[in-house]
Amino acid sequence: MPSLCRDCLTRFETGRRCPACGSPRVLSHPELFDLSIAHMDCDAFYASVEKRDNPELADKPVIIGGGRRGVVSTACYVARIRGVRSAMPMFQALKLCPGAVVIRPRMQVYAEVSRAIRVMMEELTPDVEPLSLDEAFLDLSGTTRLHGAPPAVMLARLVKRMKDELGLTGSIGLSHNKFLAKVASDLDKPRGFSVIGKAETADFLRDRPVRLIWGIGPAAQGALEKAGIRSFADLLRWERRDLHERFGAMGDRLYDLARGVDRRRVSAHAPIKSISNETTFDEDTGNPEILDGHLWRMSEKVADRTKAKGLAGRVVVLKLKRADHSLLSRRLALREPVQLADRIYRTARGLFDQVEEKGPFRLLGVGLAELCPEAEAERSGDLLDPDAAQRGRAERATDEIRRRFGKDAIRKGRALR
Amino acid sequence: MKISIERGTLLKAVAQAQSVVERRNTIPILANVLIEAEGDTASFRATDLDIEVVDKAPAQVERAGATTVAATTLHEIVRKLPDGALVTLTADSAAGRLTVEAGRSNFSLATLPKEDFPVMASSEYQSNFSANAAVLRRLFDKSKFAISTEETRYYLNGVYMHVAEADGLKVLRCVATDGHRLARIDAELPAGAEDMPGVIVPRKTVGELRKLLDDDEQAIAVSVSETKVRFATPTITLTSKVIDGTFPDYSRVIPQNNTRRLEVDAADFAKAVDRVATVSSERSRAVKLQLDEDRLVLSVNAPDSGAAEEELAVAYADERLEIGFNAKYLLEIASQVDRENAVFLFNSSGDPTLMREGNDLSAVYVVMPMRV
């Protein structure tokens, strides 16, 4: 069986240890050198960066997240042993792991590291589709001749380089499509390298739960369970037509995925569907002034990102989380796409004013959806708001000042609330 | 209750009722029409709690009484009955059924007790006057296209009916706007309307009202209070809550100093706009107007789908001007013009444009340009 040493990258035929370096970190799989779609997922990315930069933290439980009130964005493996998971509220994480070192995320640092990893990945193939700062799909089809080595070797070399040059570890999933590659990368984290071959796909999936599918959350799971679908085997009993009738487009996708079929391409330029920002407050609040300040800051952040990407959006979304963590969201489809923070804020503010509940809330978010090119944005004014054009010009001028002298060079009073 | 009523008369009354009834209802009784029979009339009452319509129809009343039954079902049945049929409605309150008989057809419908039916509280009206159906029809027909559907500015979801002053004369005025276009329509002030409070008549009410206005000569009794408005013909009474909000000060929106005057045949203009807009694929549907001496070039340039251009002979004597509009808005205002040429008054390509029919100031439209 084709085998590969993950330490010295020697290729050989079957053996439990590498014949060259004696390492036990050996990968063996009948299709090892034939598969080319991969998913790379860094191990506890934020926490690993922090541990790398501060070796004293090495064996301590580390949680990255926003203060006592926020949620866990990443927990290192030491903290995970105690049951801490990402997206868990911080108070709960600290209950499970009282000795944890909580660190506020340093997004700029993570973004830099992420860029370095991206450069390494792009040396392997132009088809890199980042999903976030710490994970990406790679399509290495047709690169064997170029690199003089099959994808599996290049991927093993990638994680080795990440470890040697950046001090970070990652896990690789290698398979014949995106769905299975993503599933594979999660199979033996951390420092994992898992392969799901074509021949074993059906056996592999059969008894696994459908929640394995990325995008099947609790709600979809509930709907599927009502139809008696828990595992892939359950799905296989359904005709495509029936799945489509019951679940729409998702039904079609489920039919294919149940058979291990996923035709989505790895695309370096996956279109962005929405842009949003949210913040969890230090303490729950129903104070309209404070909420208004958050509303403005979130709108401005969304506008900044939207402008940076040359986009605009037709739908403004307002998201509020009540003290009991339940979610309240409102959306408004506008007659024309918007990009300016002023327009996003005013729309979100209108939605906010229509919410009859007075709080307290623990989180506020603003988003923009149904994106389009910025040329289509703000093409007509509002008869009833003749000052809008002037405010728009003021915002553009402010942007220019911020671009030249830094983000905090000029701010609205509202932002200080 | 037992009544017999001619199918056509019944259909008209029930149709009016079922259009007020909301399709999706959480309160079962609101899906029903309340039928009350007394003397020689049957009245049909329906409500969505904001609007109430009562339609009185002549009927042979064998046994007076009242009941409520699903409005849409009754409407569907009557609609499918043959023309000219005599329909007999018999309520059996003990069984909770209403029998509908016509010829050999027989239906039995579930009823709900009449006591549960919410009747809109009557109120004091500050102003009562009479207006011709034709006058009201013009006021609302020409303004309703501009009503906003945006829920955050709920006070724009209707037509603002109020008393205003134009050229030193008091007029009855209807204004609607969604922020992109505005319609301001005036009519001679009917006697007795001088003290009418300004009210925002909701979109749905405007739609229901329209059904009362087909007969030109029909006098409509209008009653207005701060919270309600009522329109009545001898047989139909439409009562509606008004939108509780302040309509914005529209007068500052109407441009006073637009001097660049374009005069064009409205029908030709609308057809040309419609033709060039065909190639536009985006939702915005922007049309560019290029004006030169006595010449108007309409064009659409949609990179994804194509381009179109059309030239029109017009009367224009000002400087060259290029200005863009949403094709749909242009079409809507152009289609309001029915007698004379459309006169557009422009300022710059970024300022609101005014449109009217000839020199008639009793119907004025404003439309916001768009960047092209």
Side-chain angles (χ1 to χ4, degrees):
Chain A
M1 201 185 323
S3 304
L4 169 69
C5 171
R6 291 171 60 191
D7 285 328
C8 70
L9 306 179
T10 304
R11 278 177 267 171
F12 54 97
E13 272 297 322
T14 324
R16 295 187 54 192
R17 280 179 179 273
C18 170
C21 73
S23 162
R25 286 172 27 94
V26 168
L27 261 176
S28 293
H29 192 280
E31 298 173 39
L32 183 62
F33 298 132
D34 306 323
L35 300 166
S36 57
I37 309 287
H39 179 251
M40 192 290 295
D41 193 3
C42 294
D43 301 325
F45 183 55
Y46 299 175
S48 304
V49 172
E50 296 300 338
K51 288 194 178 195
R52 178 196 73 177
D53 293 352
N54 182 1
E56 276 178 29
L57 298 172
D59 44 13
K60 296 197 175 104
V62 170
I63 297 175
I64 313 297
R68 271 197 67 81
R69 290 280 319 217
V71 292
V72 174
S73 39
T74 312
C76 76
Y77 283 87
V78 184
R80 288 190 198 189
I81 293 169
R82 313 286 281 276
V84 180
R85 295 282 175 272
S86 13
M88 181 181 274
M90 194 59 82
F91 72 89
Q92 200 180 338
L94 289 175
K95 219 180 274 171
L96 291 167
C97 187
V101 181
V102 178
I103 300 175
R104 289 219 171 225
R106 296 183 296 155
M107 294 313 294
Q108 242 157 359
V109 178
Y110 309 150
E112 260 167 53
V113 179
S114 176
R115 265 194 295 278
I117 299 173
R118 176 92 173 263
V119 169
M120 290 181 187
M121 291 191 289
E122 279 168 352
E123 284 175 22
L124 303 188
T125 169
D127 293 330
V128 176
E129 179 181 331
L131 292 179
S132 62
L133 286 182
D134 61 345
E135 55 175 319
F137 284 114
L138 298 97
D139 183 351
L140 285 98
S141 306
T143 61
T144 305
R145 284 264 296 275
L146 175 72
H147 296 306
V153 177
M154 298 313 292
L155 290 161
R157 178 175 292 164
L158 168 70
V159 277
K160 200 165 173 300
R161 268 188 79 189
M162 281 166 54
K163 178 79 186 133
D164 295 345
E165 295 173 29
L166 302 170
L168 296 168
T169 65
S171 298
I172 298 285
L174 179 61
S175 189
H176 53 97
N177 63 41
K178 283 165 84 170
F179 162 55
L180 292 166
K182 172 125 173 128
V183 169
S185 72
D186 210 31
L187 289 178
D188 76 327
K189 266 181 150 305
R191 297 186 74 194
F193 197 129
S194 300
V195 181
I196 301 174
K198 275 189 176 146
E200 68 195 296
T201 298
D203 285 334
F204 172 84
L205 287 175
R206 190 167 301 122
D207 297 318
R208 298 203 184 234
V210 283
R211 64 161 182 275
L212 205 59
I213 300 170
W214 198 66
I216 301 283
Q221 252 181 73
L224 286 166
E225 238 168 74
K226 266 194 195 151
I229 300 170
R230 272 162 214 245
S231 68
F232 282 85
D234 297 331
L235 263 181
L236 285 173
R237 285 193 281 272
W238 285 65
E239 293 291 333
R240 179 186 288 277
R241 212 185 40 215
D242 298 336
L243 278 175
H244 180 86
E245 213 159 86
R246 182 141 182 166
F247 303 106
M250 181 176 91
D252 281 318
R253 198 164 143 61
L254 289 172
Y255 181 87
D256 288 338
L257 292 182
R259 285 152 185 79
V261 175
D262 178 6
R263 296 190 186 84
R264 290 173 305 165
R265 293 175 57 108
V266 174
S267 158
H269 307 285
I272 311 167
K273 289 197 175 136
S274 67
I275 295 174
S276 63
N277 271 86
E278 56 184 52
T279 176
T280 303
F281 314 140
D282 287 336
E283 65 189 69
D284 294 352
T285 182
N287 181 326
E289 298 235 322
I290 292 174
L291 289 169
D292 185 68
H294 286 300
L295 204 55
W296 167 255
R297 283 189 295 274
M298 292 305 112
S299 302
E300 197 175 33
K301 277 191 179 176
V302 170
D304 282 348
R305 289 169 57 200
T306 311
K307 288 169 189 165
K309 294 190 192 314
L311 296 171
R314 269 194 190 85
V315 173
V316 173
V317 182
L318 170 75
K319 180 173 161 187
L320 288 163
K321 221 179 231 180
R322 303 183 186 91
D324 66 359
H325 291 255
S326 61
L327 197 65
L328 189 159
S329 83
R330 296 280 181 275
R331 49 190 283 134
L332 183 74
L334 297 163
R335 188 100 36 128
E336 65 172 0
V338 295
Q339 181 189 54
L340 291 170
D342 180 64
R343 299 282 292 268
I344 297 171
Y345 164 75
R346 276 164 197 268
T347 311
R349 174 80 221 192
L351 288 170
F352 180 80
D353 289 340
Q354 284 199 319
V355 172
E356 284 178 3
E357 291 172 46
K358 294 288 161 252
F361 299 106
R362 69 182 332 263
L363 171 148
L364 181 148
V366 173
L368 207 52
E370 287 201 30
L371 303 178
C372 64
E374 62 186 340
E376 289 174 36
E378 282 131 6
R379 292 173 68 180
S380 59
D382 186 341
L383 276 170
L384 301 171
D385 186 4
D387 303 334
Q390 200 174 353
R391 287 198 310 272
R393 285 193 294 274
E395 184 172 330
R396 299 284 178 207
T398 306
D399 286 345
E400 185 57 26
I401 293 168
R402 295 201 307 159
R403 192 182 64 76
R404 272 198 238 172
F405 303 107
K407 282 215 175 233
D408 294 329
I410 181 164
R411 294 165 86 180
K412 278 209 190 260
R414 209 186 275 143
L416 302 173
R417 276 184 184 169
Chain B
M1 181 195 82
K2 184 171 183 184
I3 59 171
S4 297
I5 184 166
E6 198 271 319
R7 181 254 178 194
T9 316
L10 180 60
L11 181 62
K12 221 176 137 233
V14 176
Q16 189 90 40
Q18 72 92 31
S19 82
V20 167
V21 164
E22 280 293 335
R23 292 288 158 269
R24 266 163 290 167
N25 241 318
T26 48
I27 310 169
I29 191 95
L30 292 183
N32 281 14
V33 52
L34 170 64
I35 310 171
E36 291 170 298
E38 214 189 326
D40 52 5
T41 35
S43 77
F44 297 82
R45 187 187 297 261
T47 182
D48 65 359
L49 296 180
D50 288 325
I51 305 178
E52 182 192 72
V53 66
V54 186
D55 197 339
K56 289 198 168 75
Q60 288 165 250
V61 180
E62 240 172 85
R63 198 164 63 240
T67 190
T68 83
V69 66
T72 33
T73 318
L74 183 60
H75 176 248
E76 281 295 287
I77 290 173
V78 179
R79 197 171 61 79
K80 290 171 186 171
L81 289 175
D83 208 12
L86 186 70
V87 188
T88 304
L89 305 177
T90 315
D92 178 348
S93 51
R97 297 277 150 177
L98 176 79
T99 333
V100 181
E101 286 169 284
R104 294 183 189 177
S105 310
N106 191 310
F107 306 85
S108 174
L109 304 177
T111 62
L112 286 171
K114 61 174 193 289
E115 292 76 20
D116 295 355
F117 195 88
V119 174
M120 200 177 265
S122 58
S123 52
E124 289 277 305
Y125 291 102
Q126 281 152 266
S127 173
N128 296 285
F129 58 91
S130 171
N132 259 357
V135 172
L136 290 177
R137 194 172 66 214
R138 175 174 168 276
L139 283 171
F140 285 99
D141 274 3
K142 284 187 178 293
S143 56
K144 68 184 174 197
F145 74 91
I147 299 175
S148 169
T149 49
E150 194 188 309
E151 278 168 33
T152 44
R153 293 198 281 188
Y154 59 93
Y155 47 82
L156 300 180
N157 298 158
V159 169
Y160 181 43
M161 179 173 80
H162 60 296
V163 179
E165 202 162 298
D167 274 340
L169 278 178
K170 286 210 164 179
V171 292
L172 181 61
R173 176 174 283 178
C174 278
V175 178
T177 181
D178 65 356
H180 297 271
R181 53 261 167 83
L182 176 143
R184 189 196 76 188
I185 319 297
D186 291 348
E188 198 182 320
L189 191 69
E194 295 80 10
D195 300 324
M196 184 189 85
V199 286
I200 307 169
V201 184
R203 164 192 291 278
K204 185 175 172 185
T205 309
V206 173
E208 293 305 317
L209 169 63
R210 184 62 184 79
K211 296 171 189 159
L212 275 58
L213 305 177
D214 280 328
D215 179 3
D216 277 10
E217 298 307 316
Q218 178 70 61
I220 308 287
V222 186
S223 307
V224 185
S225 77
E226 300 274 356
T227 56
K228 272 185 205 154
V229 61
R230 167 174 286 181
F231 301 93
T233 69
T235 55
I236 305 171
T237 305
L238 174 71
T239 312
S240 168
K241 291 183 187 163
V242 298
I243 293 174
D244 182 14
T246 309
F247 200 81
D249 176 14
Y250 62 86
S251 59
R252 57 190 192 114
V253 168
I254 296 171
Q256 304 298 330
N257 304 313
N258 284 11
T259 49
R260 297 164 153 192
R261 186 177 195 277
L262 159 73
E263 190 167 338
V264 58
D265 181 283
D268 288 351
F269 176 75
K271 279 182 205 148
V273 169
D274 195 23
R275 273 193 293 266
V276 294
T278 316
V279 296
S280 155
S281 62
E282 352 159 23
R283 294 192 229 178
S284 60
R285 310 231 301 154
V287 170
K288 185 159 79 176
L289 277 60
Q290 286 166 276
L291 283 158
D292 236 324
E293 205 183 328
D294 290 345
R295 204 173 85 117
L296 166 65
V297 178
L298 295 163
S299 62
V300 168
N301 194 350
D304 304 338
S305 57
E309 198 178 280
E310 183 157 341
E311 199 180 310
L312 279 176
V314 297
Y316 181 76
D318 214 299
E319 280 171 57
R320 228 181 111 74
L321 175 70
E322 273 193 22
I323 188 167
F325 291 101
N326 182 315
K328 183 168 161 270
Y329 300 163
L330 277 187
L331 278 175
E332 276 171 347
I333 63 165
S335 65
Q336 303 305 321
V337 174
D338 38 30
R339 300 183 314 273
E340 294 180 57
N341 283 339
V343 171
F344 286 86
L345 293 169
F346 303 97
N347 187 24
S348 81
S349 62
D351 293 313
T353 292
L354 191 137
M355 201 276 304
R356 62 177 192 234
E357 190 164 348
N359 287 322
D360 181 4
L361 291 172
S362 74
V364 167
Y365 305 92
V366 183
V367 58
M368 206 61 191
M370 91 190 275
R371 186 158 42 80
V372 282

